[in-house]
Amino acid sequence: MTAAFSPALLTDQYELTMVSAALKDGTAHRRSVFEVFARRLPGGRRYGVAAGQGRLMELIRGFRFTDEDVAFLRKAGIVDETTASWLADYRFTGDIDGYAEGELFFPGSPILTVSGGFAECVVLETLILSVLNHDCAIASAAARMVTAARGRPIIEMGSRRTHEEAAVAAARAAYLAGFASTSNLAAGGRYGIPTTGTSAHAFTLLHDDEPAAFASQVAALGKNTTLLVDTYDIAQGIRNAIAVAGPDLRAVRIDSGDLSVLAQHSRELLDSLGATETKIVVSGDMDEYAIAALAAEPVDMYGAGTAVVTGSGAPTAGLVYKLVEVEGRPVVKRSENKATVGGRKTAIRRHKPTGTATEEIVVSQGVPDHQPNDRLLQRSFVVAGEVAEAPTLTDSREHLRQCLISIPWEGLKLSAGDPAVPVTIVPTV
């Protein structure tokens, strides 16, 4: 029987190597500051979306090495007795500050700042990066899809295209970005996200014919359901759907073919049958570009799966976790193409009186000169080991909506270009 290991064992071994050595040489408790940031945005992107902080703080609240964890590490010879005892008593007692969930970020933005003893901070590196790299990637892609949809709802339906737990996290990140609902019931149960779903082609194939399948679904769920009409012939599928459910059927879904042409023909056919209020839902390899291509077509709702749960070509946000300060002294990495700016950062976003963002200013070991319409970007998540109350997912969703309104319109383009808001980093003097 497999032992019940805790999430703390997501820690990479190299982190415990550093902890063991630092405990032995006496540097483990030196006051340190780590920062999470992106050196660059994925190709073609003009902004990133900070996401996952809510999930992360709950994980940090319960981040403990169990007796089973410690016993495994001892038996495998990964840690010595001193380190094993330290892990058994581990509690994060430091501070965490960062960008609010739903905030936009750009290259160099200090998305998260973790401060405390070196050992207690470094042991969180893998957990922090795994959560933020995933959720930021999903939310960033999903936000672009929402912009492309121009107010039409999008359903997240990618659970079958990713890891089972990643599916739940992806649904949460997509909803944060503005998706209307998810087909993932675990996400609905955990986070209160609206859920929706319809039958698959298998249900139609199960029955003797398409009308029988539609009649069964309508008998069970009523007319406020969505019938999948492309198992055989779409035009005949629509006729069968309306014949069975009547003209007040809620929606039909098309999952294949040339969606631009099919949406036009389907709308014309539905209208001719009197089903003028029946909605058209399209799905099947929907990404931001496919959604944008359908902007002029009579589509009422989109279903996005594979593209959203894989970050639409950018499955990681490319975030790094770097030590920037020790005992109040800035430290820097000088490796070619991977250099860092030392010192703890403070960030503000500068806006025109109209509310349009013009610049992000990041100051090392200081505070930017405040001007009218500046907005401080960092907030406290953890203070002396205590996790602060976080905004609701609904609040974070609205925060992102307002942030997207604030950036110059060029920043919302799907084409490649410079970051929507330039970042100026002022190093330590």
Side-chain angles (χ1 to χ4, degrees):
M1 187 174 187
T2 304
F5 295 119
S6 78
L9 276 195
L10 292 173
T11 301
D12 270 8
Q13 184 166 337
Y14 88 93
E15 292 160 14
L16 295 189
T17 298
M18 289 188 284
V19 168
S20 296
L23 287 170
K24 189 169 185 177
D25 71 13
T27 60
H29 306 295
R30 286 186 176 177
R31 187 73 180 179
S32 301
V33 178
F34 288 82
E35 285 179 347
V36 175
F37 61 92
R39 292 190 176 94
R40 62 192 67 85
L41 297 176
R45 303 291 174 87
R46 301 189 183 207
Y47 63 84
V49 175
Q53 294 94 323
R55 289 202 312 118
L56 177 61
M57 295 312 139
E58 287 306 307
L59 289 167
I60 288 175
R61 189 197 302 272
F63 192 87
R64 305 286 188 274
F65 290 87
T66 66
D67 292 343
E68 290 82 0
D69 298 339
V70 177
F72 160 72
L73 294 170
R74 277 195 181 109
K75 184 177 180 180
I78 295 169
V79 299
D80 57 19
E81 287 304 311
T82 299
T83 306
S85 297
W86 183 86
L87 293 173
D89 294 334
Y90 180 83
R91 303 289 186 276
F92 180 71
T93 62
D95 303 321
I96 300 178
D97 305 281
Y99 285 27
E101 196 159 27
E103 187 62 71
L104 302 183
F105 70 85
F106 306 96
S109 296
I111 299 168
L112 203 72
T113 303
V114 182
S115 56
F118 173 83
E120 67 173 336
C121 294
V122 80
V123 83
L124 294 176
E125 178 176 354
T126 297
L127 175 69
I128 288 172
L129 288 180
S130 65
V131 171
L132 296 185
N133 266 315
H134 175 269
D135 288 25
C136 291
I138 305 308
S140 299
R144 285 160 56 88
M145 295 180 198
V146 170
T147 296
R150 300 184 182 182
R152 296 169 177 172
I154 310 178
I155 307 166
E156 186 284 312
M157 47 196 304
S159 296
R160 303 169 191 177
R161 298 294 186 265
T162 189
H163 182 275
E164 62 270 19
E165 282 300 320
V168 184
R172 181 186 184 278
Y175 184 70
L176 166 70
F179 274 42
S181 57
T182 179
S183 63
N184 188 290
L185 297 180
R190 288 187 200 178
Y191 303 118
I193 300 171
T195 60
T196 190
T198 185
S199 63
H201 295 104
F203 186 73
T204 301
L205 296 171
L206 169 69
H207 292 78
D208 294 335
D209 54 36
E210 193 171 58
F214 290 167
S216 173
Q217 185 172 331
V218 171
L221 302 173
K223 297 181 179 182
N224 190 32
T225 190
T226 299
L227 297 179
L228 180 61
V229 296
D230 70 336
T231 303
Y232 305 114
D233 176 81
I234 293 175
Q236 188 57 48
I238 290 174
R239 293 188 182 95
N240 289 337
I242 301 305
V244 168
D248 51 349
L249 173 67
R250 175 180 177 270
V252 296
R253 178 164 74 97
I254 305 169
D255 191 49
S256 58
D258 185 335
L259 296 177
S260 178
V261 172
L262 292 174
Q264 294 178 40
H265 291 173
S266 297
R267 182 74 272 158
E268 292 170 0
L269 180 56
L270 286 167
D271 290 349
S272 73
L273 296 171
T276 57
E277 299 301 316
T278 299
K279 306 300 183 185
I280 297 175
V281 182
V282 298
S283 57
D285 297 324
M286 288 283 106
D287 61 11
E288 59 265 51
Y289 302 106
I291 291 170
L294 294 170
E297 309 303 341
V299 172
D300 299 291
M301 187 177 296
Y302 304 94
T306 302
V308 68
V309 300
T310 58
S312 194
T316 174
L319 305 179
V320 295
Y321 184 88
K322 297 300 178 185
L323 180 65
V324 297
E325 190 174 292
V326 177
E327 299 289 7
R329 174 179 56 86
V331 295
V332 298
K333 179 179 178 179
R334 302 188 187 279
S335 304
E336 186 175 356
N337 298 321
K338 291 187 176 183
T340 58
V341 176
R344 182 191 183 99
K345 318 295 190 306
T346 303
I348 60 101
R349 191 161 298 151
R350 189 148 287 165
H351 300 77
K352 296 179 180 178
T354 58
T356 301
T358 59
E359 185 181 17
E360 186 166 310
I361 300 176
V362 179
V363 174
S364 174
Q365 292 194 308
V367 179
D369 293 333
H370 186 81
Q371 296 183 12
N373 307 308
D374 285 353
R375 180 165 64 84
L376 186 66
L377 294 174
Q378 290 141 317
R379 51 150 291 176
S380 293
F381 289 108
V382 180
V383 179
E386 294 296 321
V387 178
E389 184 174 352
T392 66
L393 185 56
T394 299
D395 291 339
S396 298
R397 179 179 160 98
E398 174 61 19
H399 183 79
L400 173 57
R401 192 182 74 83
Q402 293 296 333
C403 286
L404 289 171
I405 291 172
S406 75
I407 62 175
W409 68 269
E410 293 92 343
L412 298 176
K413 289 182 177 180
L414 298 182
S415 57
D418 294 330
V421 176
V423 178
T424 299
I425 300 178
V426 182
T428 304
V429 177

